[in-house]
């Protein structure tokens, strides 16, 4: 394409597939034949330096640890991994087209312009633009290989089951779920997990990694269901290990999660059947011969499929970058320079549309910076609500006449259970003792403050000893491309990568604190407050405290 006006330069856009050998040859031939003033490439500074073999950027601690960065990292890793696997399939290094453009420009003594948006900005906006349903579909596809309503139902069922489990433990007897049933459920879970690990270990000697994993999971599920739950084998051992409270916790969570998943999958199946939640159009793609399609055909089809899957994500990953790159190219053209722009085939049409009609370009300031989420800020409201409930809980008990010693006992239990779970899971993820203990020490406070998370503190201490950089993602891709190493060994290798280990330490610390908070409210508090009448008695005391507070306020104002 050659877009120009009198007195301006012109732009020739070359659309490539990032993992295609044909695209590499096309880029080299176009640059040599056109001999432009500038070769513009779809790269930012960090990716350019990494592609040229330079040292990857160190990741800023505050960027890695804040907010949803863990999820952004997963999204970036997922995209990077998919591209890496495509490169393996077609025997071309991902980014070879861009590298060919840069190296050919250097051979011909031509200028190179990096015209893409910073990848961290793109991934952050990509995650923010994705809707909750789209994220659940992605999670269902990754976890279960199903991206339709069944996968969404399974993910939603797990989330609901975590909340449902404590209710089963507290009020299960009302609907006929006895203590014996919960004990059998806990036994089935523990015995099944132990059997799965043992069977997987044995199977890995003779089967491939995936087959051994399936054999372990299938065998473990059968042993747990029939032996542990059905026949009660191992009940005495499990109850002695977990204790009465631990057995109830494990059993009720197992029942809640399994019930949630079963209902979620069933509802999803019905929704699919009646057509209310069908898979994205075009998912049943017929087999095709790669030789019959151009790079642009294949990549454009993939882009459109992704747009059907996630309109919000496509806006950040495709549309916004089309506009950003077009801004750079329009500026080069207006400076009077001739440009060959090498971009992914999926971006070509959008960029050319903006070059033909630059007045339609959105303002540059709308394409950079942190993307704000649309809609009502439910997350923040829930977070602040938790803080308010926690403070109100202690105030009302104090106003009801509950003594300081009892309040300190309740607070001490809150402190201990949060600290033990946060520090314990952080240590399980490989954190140093100092990092784990710091996270555990602050977990009681961060679990009620929506602006903080214990994982941040654990991560900051861990980063003093563990520098990380974006090059670790390439290492993770290489590990995951190994299809022969057993899963357990692959996981161990991944934990040897500093970036993955740090992300897991941060995530597990936060998960530990979340689990502890639920366990405290639903299991620990009723035990501590047994002489007060359990949950019902505590609720009555809070109502009494509210009445006393209202009376005090009324008398103060009167």
């Amino acid at each position: 394409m050659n877009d120009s006006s009198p007195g301006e330069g012109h732009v020739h856009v070359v659309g490539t597939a990032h993992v295609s050998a044909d695209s590499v040859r096309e880029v080299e031939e176009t640059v040599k034949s056109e001999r432009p003033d500038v070769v513009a490439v779809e790269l930012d500074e960090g990716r350019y330096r990494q592609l040229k073999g330079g040292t990857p950027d160190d990741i800023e601690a505050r960027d890695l640890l804040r907010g949803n960065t863990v999820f952004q990292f997963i999204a970036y890793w997922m995209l990077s991994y998919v591209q890496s696997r495509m490169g393996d399939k077609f025997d071309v290094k991902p980014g070879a087209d861009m590298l060919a453009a840069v190296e050919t420009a250097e051979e011909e003594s031509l200028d190179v312009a990096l015209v893409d948006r910073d990848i961290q900005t793109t991934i952050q906006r990509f995650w923010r633009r994705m809707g909750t349903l789209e994220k659940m579909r992605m999670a269902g596809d990754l976890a279960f290989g199903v991206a339709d309503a069944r996968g969404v139902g399974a993910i939603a069922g797990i989330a609901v089951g975590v909340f449902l489990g404590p209710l089963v433990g507290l009020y299960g007897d009302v609907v006929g779920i006895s203590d014996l049933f919960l004990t059998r459920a806990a036994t089935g879970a523990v015995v099944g997990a132990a059997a799965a690990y043992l069977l997987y270990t044995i199977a890995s000697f003779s089967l491939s990694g995936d087959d051994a994993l399936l054999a372990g999971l299938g065998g473990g599920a059968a042993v747990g269901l029939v032996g542990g739950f059905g026949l009660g084998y191992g009940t005495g051992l499990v109850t002695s290990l977990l204790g009465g409270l631990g057995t109830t916790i494990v059993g009720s969570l197992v029942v809640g999660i399994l019930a949630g998943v079963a209902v979620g999958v069933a509802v999803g199946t019905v929704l699919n059947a009646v057509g209310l939640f069908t898979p994205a159009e075009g998912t049943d793609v017929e087999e095709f011969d790669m030789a019959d399609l151009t790079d642009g055909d294949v990549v454009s089809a993939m882009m459109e499929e992704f747009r059907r899957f996630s309109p919000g994500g496509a806006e950040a990953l495709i549309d916004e970058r089309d506009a950003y790159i077009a801004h750079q190219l329009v500026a080069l053209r207006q400076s009077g320079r001739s440009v060959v722009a090498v971009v992914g085939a999926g971006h070509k049409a959008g960029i050319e549309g903006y070059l033909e009609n630059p007045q339609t370009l959105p303002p540059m300031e709308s394409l950079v910076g942190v993307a704000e989420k649309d809609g009502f800020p439910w997350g923040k409201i829930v977070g602040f609500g938790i803080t308010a409930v926690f403070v109100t809980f202690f105030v009302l008990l104090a106003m009801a006449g509950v003594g300081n010693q009892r309040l300190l006992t309740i607070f001490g239990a809150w402190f201990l259970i949060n600290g033990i779970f946060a520090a314990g899971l952080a240590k399980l993820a490989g954190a140093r003792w100092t990092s784990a203990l710091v996270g555990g020490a602050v977990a009681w406070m961060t679990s009620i403050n929506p602006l903080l998370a214990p994982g941040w503190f654990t991560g900051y201490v861990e980063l003093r000893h563990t520098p990380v950089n974006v090059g670790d993602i390439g290492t993770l891709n290489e590990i995951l491309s190994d299809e022969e190493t057993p899963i357990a060994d692959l996981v161990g290798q991944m934990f040897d990568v500093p970036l993955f280990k740090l992300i897991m330490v941060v995530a597990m610390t936060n998960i530990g604190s979340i689990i502890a908070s639920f366990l405290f409210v639903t299991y620990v508090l009723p035990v501590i407050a047994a002489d007060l009448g359990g949950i019902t008695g505590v609720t009555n005391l809070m109502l009494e405290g509210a009445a006393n507070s209202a009376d005090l306020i009324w008398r103060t104002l009167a």
Side-chain angles (χ1 to χ4, degrees):
M1 176 178 180
N2 191 329
D3 285 309
S4 63
S5 300
E8 288 189 341
H10 63 272
V11 178
H12 179 96
V13 180
V14 179
T16 70
H18 296 316
V19 292
S20 168
D22 291 338
S23 290
V24 172
R25 287 190 293 271
E26 180 186 3
V27 166
E28 294 172 343
E29 293 169 0
T30 302
V31 172
K32 290 179 179 179
S33 62
E34 293 278 337
R35 291 197 57 81
D37 298 320
V38 180
V39 176
V41 289
E42 184 195 323
L43 293 172
D44 63 349
E45 183 66 36
R47 283 181 292 155
Y48 167 78
R49 188 163 54 252
Q50 188 174 0
L51 200 61
K52 293 285 286 181
T55 303
D57 289 335
D58 285 340
I59 299 178
E60 291 288 339
R62 61 179 180 274
D63 293 333
L64 181 65
L65 301 177
R66 72 160 65 115
N68 282 327
T69 311
V70 170
F71 302 107
Q72 294 166 32
F73 160 76
I74 294 173
Y76 179 36
W77 184 15
M78 178 189 69
L79 296 172
S80 173
Y81 178 64
V82 169
Q83 192 176 77
S84 176
R85 292 302 299 271
M86 289 178 64
D88 291 340
K89 181 178 180 180
F90 296 108
D91 196 26
V92 177
K93 179 182 178 182
D97 51 346
M98 299 299 151
L99 184 59
V102 171
E103 291 180 342
T104 305
E106 291 173 347
E107 291 171 4
E108 301 294 323
S109 300
L110 306 174
D111 291 338
V112 175
L114 309 178
V115 295
D116 200 4
R117 185 171 63 184
D118 181 86
I119 185 63
Q120 293 188 29
T121 299
T122 294
I123 293 300
Q124 186 275 332
R125 295 174 72 95
F126 166 72
W127 184 258
R128 284 293 187 94
R129 296 290 190 204
M130 286 186 73
T132 301
L133 186 61
E134 295 167 358
K135 293 174 183 176
M136 292 176 67
R137 288 179 62 186
M138 183 177 72
D141 193 17
L142 291 174
F144 306 108
V146 180
D148 59 21
R150 293 168 298 167
V152 174
I155 295 299
I158 292 174
V160 171
V162 171
F163 290 92
L164 180 62
L167 297 179
V168 171
L170 290 173
Y171 307 110
D173 56 339
V174 176
V175 292
I177 300 178
S178 64
D179 291 339
L180 176 61
F181 187 90
L182 295 180
T183 300
R184 288 290 186 91
T187 302
V190 174
V191 170
Y197 178 77
L198 180 61
L199 291 172
Y200 166 73
T201 302
I202 296 173
S204 62
F205 289 108
S206 57
L207 299 176
S208 65
D210 291 343
D211 291 340
L213 180 62
L214 289 175
L217 292 176
V223 171
L225 180 62
V226 177
F229 179 76
L231 301 176
Y233 292 147
T235 298
L237 178 62
V238 170
T239 52
S240 64
L241 288 174
L242 299 179
L245 178 60
T247 301
T248 301
I249 291 173
V250 173
S252 59
L253 286 176
V254 168
V255 171
I257 291 174
L258 289 179
V261 171
V263 172
V265 172
V267 172
T269 302
V270 172
L271 291 177
N272 281 342
V274 300
L276 295 179
F277 190 127
T278 56
E281 296 180 7
T283 51
D284 296 327
V285 181
E286 296 181 0
E287 292 293 326
F288 57 82
D289 186 353
M290 288 293 295
D292 295 335
L293 299 175
T294 66
D295 292 337
D297 291 334
V298 175
V299 177
S300 295
M302 291 174 60
M303 291 289 196
E304 287 308 309
E305 182 61 34
F306 178 68
R307 192 181 299 279
R308 284 191 288 269
F309 177 82
S310 175
E315 180 182 352
L317 203 62
I318 304 171
D319 301 337
E320 289 184 355
R321 289 174 62 216
D322 288 351
Y324 185 95
I325 293 171
H327 266 292
Q328 311 300 318
L329 297 179
V330 167
L332 289 170
R333 185 175 66 185
Q334 290 176 343
S335 69
R337 311 178 80 182
S338 61
V339 181
V340 167
V342 182
V343 301
H347 294 288
K348 183 179 180 181
I351 291 172
E352 288 182 337
Y354 283 128
L355 291 175
E356 291 177 359
N357 301 285
Q359 69 276 6
T360 62
L361 277 168
M364 178 61 90
E365 55 268 21
S366 69
L367 305 173
V368 296
V370 177
E372 296 297 330
K373 295 187 70 172
D374 297 330
F376 203 70
W378 291 109
K380 291 183 178 179
I381 291 177
V382 170
F384 283 110
I386 292 173
T387 303
V389 168
F390 183 83
V391 174
T392 302
F393 171 77
F394 281 97
V395 170
L396 293 182
L397 289 183
M399 292 298 297
V402 176
N404 291 337
Q405 184 175 356
R406 177 56 61 86
L407 293 177
L408 286 174
T409 300
I410 294 174
F411 176 78
W414 173 266
F415 178 90
L416 284 176
I417 191 171
N418 270 275
I420 290 171
F421 272 83
L425 291 189
K427 188 61 184 173
L428 185 64
R432 288 172 170 79
W433 275 113
T434 52
S435 308
L437 291 175
V438 167
V442 301
W444 72 271
M445 175 181 63
T446 55
S447 60
I448 61 169
N449 189 328
L451 301 179
L452 297 174
W456 296 1
F457 296 87
T458 306
Y460 277 121
V461 176
E462 197 72 18
L463 272 172
R464 297 176 60 184
H465 308 280
T466 310
V468 298
N469 62 58
V470 293
D472 289 345
I473 292 178
T475 305
L476 289 170
N477 289 340
E478 292 177 6
I479 293 173
L480 287 176
S481 65
D482 185 350
E483 299 181 355
E484 298 181 357
T485 302
I487 297 295
D489 293 340
L490 284 179
V491 173
Q493 293 175 22
M494 291 168 66
F495 270 95
D496 290 335
V497 179
L499 179 57
F500 182 81
K501 179 181 176 181
L502 182 65
I503 289 290
M504 291 304 298
V505 166
V506 172
M508 292 296 279
T509 306
N510 292 336
I511 290 172
S513 181
I514 293 171
I515 292 174
S517 299
F518 283 116
L519 294 181
F520 175 82
V521 173
T522 55
Y523 296 110
V524 178
L525 183 59
V527 173
I528 296 175
D531 61 331
L532 299 177
I535 290 293
T536 302
V538 170
T539 302
N540 291 334
L541 284 172
M542 292 177 66
L543 293 174
E544 181 183 342
N548 292 341
S549 299
D551 181 63
L552 177 62
I553 294 173
W554 175 258
R555 286 188 282 106
T556 301
L557 296 177

